[in-house]
Structures are given as C-alpha cells and as structure tokens.
C-alpha cells in the first residue's frame, strides 16, 4: 500500500475502520436477542490498531490475535459472512461453530486468535522463526493486550525472538485494563515499550487512536523487519469504549469514570480521521454517506446469510478431533 | 426430601455467597490467610465471591495480581512456607494449565521430596465454565489432571454447604488443596450453617439412598443425578446417588459399600471419560467388588472432543439427567418411559461468564 497515493490510503483506512465499527455496532445491537451465543469482546474504540497495522502487511504475512479479535479478523480481510455465521453458531461459520467469537481463525488468510492470555505470542514467534529458516521475507505479527504482556510466555517469547533475530512484530494494544483492573495495579509505572527496549531492540509507543500514526509506524517497522532487523515492538495506547466482554457501555461501574470514557470517545479514531479528511476535502459528506450505506447493505447480507445457514449436524461434534 | 418444618430452619445461601462467607470467616480467624488472583478486587469480585472479603480486609489481604499464573502459584508456595495461608483464585479452571509446573512439579511433591520436613499449604480455587458458547479453552473440567498426581487434595463441591466447608477445611490442612467449583452452581441455594465448619476431605455424601443402581456423580452431575433419581423413581427404579465431594483422597469405602449393595455402577463426571475420574472409580469398583457386579460398569461424561461453541453442538456435548435415566433403564433391561424425560432442557444461562 505504501506506493499508493496517500489520500487513497487515508480513505481506505477510514473505510476499513468505519466498516469494523458498523459491523460491531450491529452485532452489539442484536446481541441481546440471543441469536449470538458466545462471549464477545468488542473492539469498538480500538479499530485503528488492527487497521493501521494490517494495512502495512502483505498477504503472506501471518497475524495472531487475542480474544478481542473481531477487528483483527476483519482488518486482515476475513470474510464477514463467515464470521457472522460463526457468531451465530452455524455450520457455515469460519470454524464451523467451533471457535465462536474469541477463537476466530481463518487459515486461508493466515490469521488465528485465542483467548488464553499470551497463548499465541510464541506461536507467532514460531511462524517468524520458520520464515527465517527458509530465508523468506514474510513476517509474523502478534497482537496482544497489556495484560497478556504479564504472562511469562510473553517474556520468554521476546527473549527467544531477540536471540534468534526472528522476523516478528509484537503489537501490544494497551487499553490500560485487564478486564476491570487498571494497569497501575498490575505493572510497574515504567511504560511497557521502555521495558522492552532493554532487550536492545527498537520498541516504541504510538497513539493507537490515530490510524495514520499506527499505519506509518507499522509500514516502517515491517520494512525494517523484512530487511533483517529481527523482532520489533510497538505499543499502541488505545481504549475500549464498551464493557470488557459484551455489547454494552459500562459507564456506571466503579473501575472507570464516565468522564474518562467520554474523554477517550472524543478521541475516536474514526471521527478524528473523518474530520480531517472532510476538512481538507479528501472526502465529501456524500461519499461518506454512500460508503456507510454500502457497508450497511453488506452487513444486512451477512446477517441474512448467517440466519439462513444450517446448524452443524450432530456428527460434526466429533469431526476434526484428529 | 425435607419436611416443611425443617425447611423453615434452614439458612439458605447461594453457592457463591457460601464461598464468600467462607473467605470472610477464615480470614477473620486467621490473620495469615490472604487471597490473590486476577480480578479478586474487581467490583464483580470473581462472580461475587471476593467482594465481602475485599470490603472487609482491603487490598493488603485481598490482593490483585498480574496475569501470571505460574509465578503466582510459586509465590503462594513461598508464602505458605513461611506460615501464610494463601488462597489463589482462577476465574476459569482452564487457566491452571499455565500453572501446572508449580502445582505439579512443585507443590504436589514438596513434602515428599524434601523428606517430609517441609510442607506446602495453599488453596487454589478454579471455576468450571459451561454454556453460552464459552468454547474449547474456557469450559473444560480439569480435575483428573490433578487427581493423577499424588500430593494434592482435590474437592469438587456440588452444594453451597460444601462450597463453604471445603474452603474452611482446605485452609486447615497442611496439604496443597485444589477446589474445582462449577459456575453453573453459583446461583443454586442450599442450607449453609452460619458458624464456621469443615467439609471433610475423603468423605463422600450419599445424597439419595437407593437399592438398584449406584450413581457416583461429581459436581453439577450430582445435581443431574438427583433429577434422574426422581424420574427413575416413577419407573420403580431405585437409584443411589453418591457425591464423592473429595476426589483425592477418595472415599472408596462409601462407594464400594454401595456397589456391593446394588451390584450396579454408573459414574457421571463433568469431564471426559478417558483417563478421567470415571475411569478411576470404574477401575476401583471392578477391582474390589467384581463378584458383586450384576452388569458392566457404565461411565457418563462429555463427548470425546473439545468443547464446541455452537449451542446446537453444546446440546450434544454435555450429558444431562436424561442420559443417566436412559443408562439406568438399559442397565436393568427396562424400556425407558421417555415421557418422564420429555421436558426440553432450556439453557437460560447468559453469563456473566
Ligand atoms: C491465562 C489467562 N488468564 C486469565 C484470563 C482471563 N482474562 C480474559 S481477558 C482478560 C483481560 C485481558 O486484558 P488484556 O490482555 O489487556 O486485553 P483486553 O481485554 O484489554 O483487550 C483476562 C484476565 C485468560 N483469558 N487467560
């Protein structure tokens, strides 16, 4: 994408984020009806991270997500209909009704997710390690939350990757909370990226609410890794607007104030880019309207597909164990 | 069945509140007792079980932690060596897989490998998730993993009474104890004395007396066993329902005595049958009561695949009282009256998970 006209890039990124936002808002809207029966961790507010990073990747790179994986799946180009059918527990789901929301994966697009904290960090390193063995230029990207950074396996994986110069980009989505516990109760005050720097690799922090900043940093880091730098680390500060798991706002709960949430909502990555692009006439209101309309129709189609899809058959239960 | 009169004497608490009460009472009695875990100071307080303790004892004794299961387990071992009584909590028992090294290579053999001169005493609570598509990594029941290794005590409370009682007894043992709770029992009510009391490790409970078939059923399956008992009674079949409560040490006597009496055994567990609790009990009974057995021992567990997500598959994955009912009829060569189990099972669980 780097070669493309920068305005086109911005428009594409805006469209991608808007699409993910609208999809998740629709899921949140229908969730209470009980058609979707799987714990869902929404990415609303955090879209810029997945979108900005994935825009800098090639199709043969591999991506690993945490439990909060809708945005990563969609930004990577995962099929919306297959995701919707998966959330509805149908046989046409991307994993046939066996992954649900938190284990979304599509080997077709080299993308996996898992909700055991830190579980896929070493797996991503392993993929990168294999690329390096074969002299390939591809890289692995591992997305994980600030809490996953506390797992032993995360430190072990970074150590190995640095030691073996593995082509992997670590992306820590720091939304400051592990469920409802602020990072100040879980980690020393020195920022995550600074701690990682002590391994002697480039580690930086970017504003995860600014998709262009994420995209530019990613494009640079990805190129550097392809050129043989070994692993690099990017911490993206961001914020989840909804509750930890589930479709609701959780303003009136003691772990964070409504004021804080509202402050971050004002920094919404979509609204920000939208304002910028309208101001410098990169897009028009009309274009944006038709963009949203198209997305909305696409979502209608995916819901229709999910609802009309068959349930898994009884014999599917014991399929694919081995 | 209890009479009306006893009903009024009962002090009904939910499973969750019984746990909460156990924490408060044990911490009040022992200043060395503390709680650690991810989310223990959270306003949701591990499905409500740590809120009261946190309110009462504050962050010095109800301690929020990073997501670092293995290290935390080692830390509880260290703390216990110097006289503390730590309780470590995992919102899902599946997260204990990250702590197995410290639990198994460390705690379980600590006393033995150091010649009996030092022992570890901690309590680890892990909760089984079930339903609403929690799926392959968040709805396993991993009791047999711990049962396999000598050196740990394992309890699986099925009632509020035992949910409280095993926390109290675990904290008084000089043994590392693992309590596997079931999320789907959290809202069930039961009689819970206000005073502090212990549920005994190594002592099973006969929930229903019967003469035709013995059912040994763990955790929520014991509740399914009671439902099966009621339906079977209408067919003139008398089921004895035994809740083992403590898987290690296991109350072999109560189980074997019952099998000698009925000559028939079914074991129902919340987990897989292969190498599971049910295998162990079946092996025990065939070894010790072979000549009393009138029919082959049967085991009931979840389907032999990881937990699926789609609720259509979940329905097939989990056994219910209906499976117990049918198995019992088959064992006695009776045609099951399916009208007795015709009620659709409606899973109304929607979290919080
Ligand atoms: C090994 C493990 N321990 C605990 C949990 C429970 N858990 C699920 S999500 C979560 C918080 C994760 O926070 P973070 O990694 O920062 O990601 P976020 O949810 O903020 O996106 C926790 C503690 C888990 N899934 N896996």
């Amino acid at each position: 994408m780097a070669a493309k006209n920068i305005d086109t890039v911005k428009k594409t990124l805006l469209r991608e984020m808007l699409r993910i936002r609208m999809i998740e808002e629709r899921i949140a809207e229908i969730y209470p009806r009980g058609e979707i029966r799987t714990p869902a961790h929404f990415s609303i507010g955090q879209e810029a991270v997945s979108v900005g990073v994935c825009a800098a990747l090639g199709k043969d790179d591999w991506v690993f997500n945490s439990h909060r994986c809708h945005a990563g799946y969609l930004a990577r180009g995962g099929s919306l209909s297959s995701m919707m059918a998966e959330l509805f527990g149908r046989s046409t789901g991307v994993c046939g009704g066996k992954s649900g929301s938190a284990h979304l994966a599509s080997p077709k697009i080299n993308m996996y997710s898992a909700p055991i904290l830190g579980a896929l960090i070493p797996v991503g390193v392993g993929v990168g390690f294999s690329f390096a063995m074969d002299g390939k230029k591809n890289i692995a990207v591992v997305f994980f939350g600030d809490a996953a950074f506390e797992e032993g396996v995360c430190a072990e994986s970074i150590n190995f990757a640095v030691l073996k110069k593995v082509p992997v980009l670590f992306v820590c989505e720091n939304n400051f909370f592990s469920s409802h516990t602020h990072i100040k109760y879980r980690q020393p005050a020195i920022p995550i990226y600074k701690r990682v720097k002590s391994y002697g690799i480039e580690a930086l922090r970017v504003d995860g609410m600014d998709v262009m900043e994420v995209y530019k940093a990613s494009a640079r880091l990805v190129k550097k890794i392809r050129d043989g730098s070994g692993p690099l680390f990017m911490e993206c500060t961001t914020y989840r607007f909804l509750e930890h798991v589930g479709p609701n706002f959780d303003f009136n709960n003691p772990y964070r104030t409504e004021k804080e949430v509202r402050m971050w909502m004002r920094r919404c990555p979509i609204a920000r880019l939208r304002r910028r692009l309208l101001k410098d006439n990169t897009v028009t209101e009309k274009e944006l309207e038709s963009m949203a309309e198209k997305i909305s129709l696409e979502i209608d189609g995916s819901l229709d597909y999910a609802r009309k899809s068959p349930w898994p058959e009884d014999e599917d239960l014991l399929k694919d164990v081995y | 069945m209890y009479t009306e009169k006893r009903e009024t004497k009962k002090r009904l608490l939910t499973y969750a509140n019984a746990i909460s009460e156990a924490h408060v009472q044990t911490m009040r009695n022992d200043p060395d007792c503390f709680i650690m875990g991810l989310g223990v100071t959270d306003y949701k307080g591990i499905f409500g079980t740590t809120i009261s303790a946190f309110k009462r004892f504050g962050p010095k004794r109800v301690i929020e932690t990073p997501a670092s299961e293995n290290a935390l387990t080692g830390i509880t071992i260290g703390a216990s060596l110097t006289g503390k009584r730590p309780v470590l909590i995992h919102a899902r028992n599946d997260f204990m897989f990250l702590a197995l090294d410290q639990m198994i290579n460390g705690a379980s053999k600590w006393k033995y490998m150091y010649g009996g001169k030092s022992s570890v005493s901690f309590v680890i609570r892990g909760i089984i998730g079930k339903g609403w598509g929690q799926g392959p990594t968040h709805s396993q029941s991993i009791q047999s993993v711990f049962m396999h290794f000598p050196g740990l005590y394992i309890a699986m409370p099925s009632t509020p009474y035992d949910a409280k009682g095993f926390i109290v007894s675990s904290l008084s043992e000089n043994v590392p104890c693992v309590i596997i709770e079931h999320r789907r029992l959290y809202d069930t009510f039961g009689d819970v004395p206000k005073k502090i009391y212990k549920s005994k490790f190594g002592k099973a409970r006969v929930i229903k007396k019967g003469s035709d078939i013995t059912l040994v059923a763990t955790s929520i399956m014991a509740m399914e066993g009671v439902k099966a008992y009621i339906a079977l009674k209408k067919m003139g079949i008398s089921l004895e329902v035994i809740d083992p409560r403590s898987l290690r040490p296991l109350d072999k006597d109560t189980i074997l005595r019952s099998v000698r009496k009925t000559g028939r055994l079914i074991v129902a567990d919340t987990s897989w049958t292969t190498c599971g609790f049910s295998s162990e009990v079946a092996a025990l009974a065939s070894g010790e009561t072979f000549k009393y057995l009138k029919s082959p021992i049967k085991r009931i567990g979840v389907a032999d695949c990881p937990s699926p997500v789609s609720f259509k598959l979940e329905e097939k994955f989990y056994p219910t009282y209906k499976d117990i009912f049918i198995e019992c009829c088959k064992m006695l060569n009776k045609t099951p009256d399916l009208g007795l189990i015709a009620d659709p099972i409606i899973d109304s669980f929607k979290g919080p998970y």
Side-chain angles (χ1 to χ4, degrees):
Chain A
M1 193 178 291
K4 278 194 226 156
N5 170 307
I6 191 74
D7 285 347
T8 320
V9 171
K10 285 180 188 167
K11 263 199 244 182
T12 310
L13 296 181
L14 180 63
R15 187 186 171 281
E16 277 297 303
M17 289 196 296
L18 183 67
R19 177 169 174 268
I20 294 169
R21 174 70 57 92
M22 287 177 65
I23 292 167
E24 285 209 300
E25 282 179 346
R26 189 77 75 84
I27 295 170
E29 182 190 316
I30 64 169
Y31 196 89
R33 292 188 209 159
E35 291 171 293
I36 294 173
R37 303 191 194 194
T38 171
H41 304 79
F42 289 79
S43 310
I44 291 177
Q46 303 187 198
E47 299 90 343
V49 181
S50 313
V51 169
V53 174
C54 287
L57 300 179
K59 80 170 182 12
D60 293 326
D61 297 322
W62 285 48
V63 171
F64 295 88
N65 291 308
S66 70
H67 51 285
R68 201 173 299 289
C69 60
H70 297 174
Y73 172 91
L74 292 165
R76 188 63 187 142
S79 148
L80 173 60
S81 297
S82 306
M83 167 177 154
M84 218 49 111
E86 184 61 44
L87 298 183
F88 276 69
R90 305 304 167 110
S91 65
T92 52
V94 66
C95 298
K98 288 171 174 170
S99 80
S101 162
H103 310 78
L104 277 182
S106 175
K108 212 164 64 183
I109 52 165
N110 307 327
M111 201 246 28
Y112 296 83
S113 320
I116 293 293
L117 296 179
L120 296 181
I121 301 176
V123 179
V125 172
V127 165
F129 191 49
S130 157
F131 289 155
M133 281 176 166
D134 293 345
K136 287 186 182 157
K137 284 283 181 192
N138 310 324
I139 72 161
V141 178
V142 189
F143 290 95
F144 52 91
D146 45 293
F149 187 75
E150 294 150 10
E151 292 289 359
V153 75
C154 180
E156 294 170 29
S157 303
I158 295 173
N159 183 62
F160 182 93
V162 174
L163 185 72
K164 305 290 183 190
K165 279 190 108 174
V166 175
V168 55
L169 176 62
F170 297 105
V171 181
C172 179
E173 289 191 59
N174 183 359
N175 65 9
F176 305 98
F177 292 99
S178 170
S179 304
H180 313 113
T181 305
H182 195 270
I183 192 166
K184 72 181 172 208
Y185 301 112
R186 302 179 281 116
Q187 294 180 31
I190 177 165
I192 290 175
Y193 78 100
K194 283 197 181 160
R195 280 176 265 153
V196 175
K197 268 189 177 175
S198 67
Y199 284 96
I201 61 170
E202 181 179 355
L204 75 167
R205 178 186 260 187
V206 304
D207 178 1
M209 303 303 270
D210 182 339
V211 73
M212 283 309 288
E213 194 179 322
V214 176
Y215 169 65
K216 282 182 194 156
S218 307
R220 184 177 67 75
L221 296 178
V222 167
K223 179 168 185 310
K224 192 169 158 184
I225 296 171
R226 284 200 214 286
D227 290 345
S229 69
L232 300 174
F233 190 103
M234 179 164 74
E235 175 186 350
C236 302
T237 47
T238 180
Y239 204 81
R240 111 179 112 65
F241 295 171
L242 301 187
E243 57 192 339
H244 167 65
V245 53
N248 305 303
F249 282 103
D250 61 352
F251 291 137
N252 299 314
N253 283 311
Y255 77 100
R256 59 183 192 179
T257 61
E258 174 165 356
K259 198 169 145 221
E260 179 180 305
V261 184
R262 297 250 181 238
M263 191 273 284
W264 280 93
M265 286 173 73
R266 278 196 295 278
R267 305 192 52 218
C268 168
I270 301 171
R272 259 165 110 181
L273 185 59
R274 192 188 138 96
R275 271 198 305 274
R276 247 189 274 164
L277 297 195
L278 280 173
K279 200 168 144 210
D280 58 22
N281 292 319
T282 311
V283 288
T284 61
E285 286 281 5
K286 215 166 157 190
E287 261 179 284
L288 289 175
E289 258 168 49
S290 101
M291 197 187 269
E293 230 163 79
K294 276 199 199 123
I295 295 169
S296 189
L297 286 175
E298 188 199 357
I299 300 171
D300 293 343
S302 71
L303 287 171
D304 203 42
Y305 175 78
R307 290 192 176 110
K308 286 189 180 141
S309 287
W311 293 104
E313 301 287 341
D314 289 359
E315 58 266 26
D316 290 334
L317 183 66
L318 295 177
K319 228 172 84 187
D320 296 326
V321 175
Y322 299 102
Chain B
M1 292 280 107
Y2 295 104
T3 62
E4 279 286 282
K5 212 169 155 205
R6 278 199 64 182
E7 205 77 43
T8 53
K9 270 197 201 153
K10 284 203 277 183
R11 178 173 176 267
L12 292 179
L13 280 193
T14 62
Y15 192 92
N17 286 338
I19 294 168
S20 173
E21 185 167 275
H23 282 317
V24 171
Q25 292 181 344
T26 49
M27 289 178 76
R28 198 181 52 209
N29 283 4
D30 183 354
D32 281 326
C33 179
F34 68 89
I35 294 178
M36 283 209 304
L38 242 122
V40 296
T41 68
D42 186 314
Y43 71 100
K44 293 189 177 172
I46 315 285
F47 310 117
T49 57
T50 59
I51 295 172
S52 298
F54 182 54
K55 263 195 202 135
R56 202 170 162 130
F57 304 107
K60 285 213 165 114
R61 292 182 64 200
V62 179
I63 301 161
E64 191 58 55
T65 66
S68 309
E69 290 79 2
N70 204 28
L72 290 170
T73 309
I75 290 161
T76 57
I77 294 175
S80 92
L81 293 179
T82 53
K84 298 285 183 224
R85 292 282 171 174
V87 180
L88 179 60
I89 309 177
H90 302 285
R92 284 295 184 308
N93 74 148
D94 315 63
F95 307 155
M96 286 197 254
F97 280 126
L98 281 75
L100 282 187
D101 174 55
Q102 291 290 337
M103 292 179 77
I104 306 297
N105 285 330
S108 78
K109 37 190 76 53
W110 194 275
K111 181 167 176 182
Y112 189 81
M113 71 184 167
Y114 297 122
K117 294 188 185 74
S118 161
S119 58
V120 171
S121 48
F122 62 49
V123 183
I124 301 185
R125 284 177 51 203
I127 303 160
I128 298 168
K130 177 188 171 197
W132 199 260
Q134 294 175 74
T137 60
H138 279 56
S139 35
Q140 303 168 93
S141 295
I142 70 170
Q143 58 272 22
S144 72
V145 174
F146 304 114
M147 259 186 98
H148 184 65
F149 299 93
L152 300 172
Y153 277 4
I154 303 126
M156 281 189 97
S158 71
T159 58
Y161 181 93
D162 283 334
K164 174 174 170 180
F166 276 112
I167 288 178
V168 179
S169 55
S170 294
L171 282 162
S172 68
E173 298 283 355
N174 282 317
V175 176
C177 299
V178 179
I179 304 177
I180 311 264
E181 298 159 2
H182 203 295
R183 173 68 183 90
R184 301 299 291 279
L185 293 171
Y186 266 49
D187 300 327
T188 59
F189 283 89
D191 193 6
V192 178
K194 189 162 187 186
K195 64 169 201 306
I196 197 159
Y197 62 88
K198 291 177 192 170
S199 290
K200 228 172 131 128
F201 275 99
K203 189 85 201 92
R205 190 167 67 98
V206 180
I207 310 181
K208 295 287 178 197
K209 280 204 171 302
S211 52
D212 294 328
I213 301 175
T214 299
L215 174 75
V216 178
T218 55
S219 187
I220 202 165
M221 290 311 289
M223 302 294 109
E224 294 296 314
V226 173
K227 283 187 223 160
Y229 166 94
I230 294 165
L232 286 163
K233 205 170 171 185
K234 294 179 187 149
M235 277 193 66
I237 299 174
S238 165
L239 183 69
E240 179 142 303
V241 183
I242 298 177
D243 172 4
R245 309 196 299 168
S246 150
L247 312 196
R248 230 189 213 269
L250 183 66
D251 182 357
K252 297 175 181 173
D253 291 346
T254 300
I255 294 170
L256 295 174
R257 201 180 311 127
S258 174
V259 178
R260 275 186 213 109
K261 177 177 74 178
T262 62
R264 299 182 187 87
L265 173 64
I266 297 174
V267 191
D269 189 23
T270 56
S271 194
W272 293 283
T273 53
T274 303
C275 286
F277 172 76
S278 64
S279 328
E280 188 55 36
V281 175
L284 170 76
S286 66
E288 304 282 326
T289 58
F290 189 72
K291 65 175 185 220
Y292 297 90
L293 289 175
K294 297 175 195 155
S295 68
I297 298 166
K298 289 287 171 194
R299 295 181 291 153
I300 293 173
V302 293
D304 198 19
C305 58
S307 324
V309 167
S310 172
F311 94 97
K312 282 289 175 199
L313 295 177
E314 272 188 346
E315 278 178 351
K316 295 278 169 252
F317 178 73
Y318 289 107
T320 68
Y321 78 98
K322 297 184 182 185
D323 300 278
I324 300 171
F325 177 86
I326 290 171
E327 206 54 73
C328 289
C329 293
K330 274 196 210 158
M331 204 172 250
L332 293 168
N333 287 321
K334 292 200 176 179
T335 313
D337 177 354
L338 296 178
L340 294 171
I341 54 167
D343 287 352
I345 290 173
I346 296 160
D347 189 352
S348 56
F349 180 73
K350 291 187 174 168
Y353 14 75

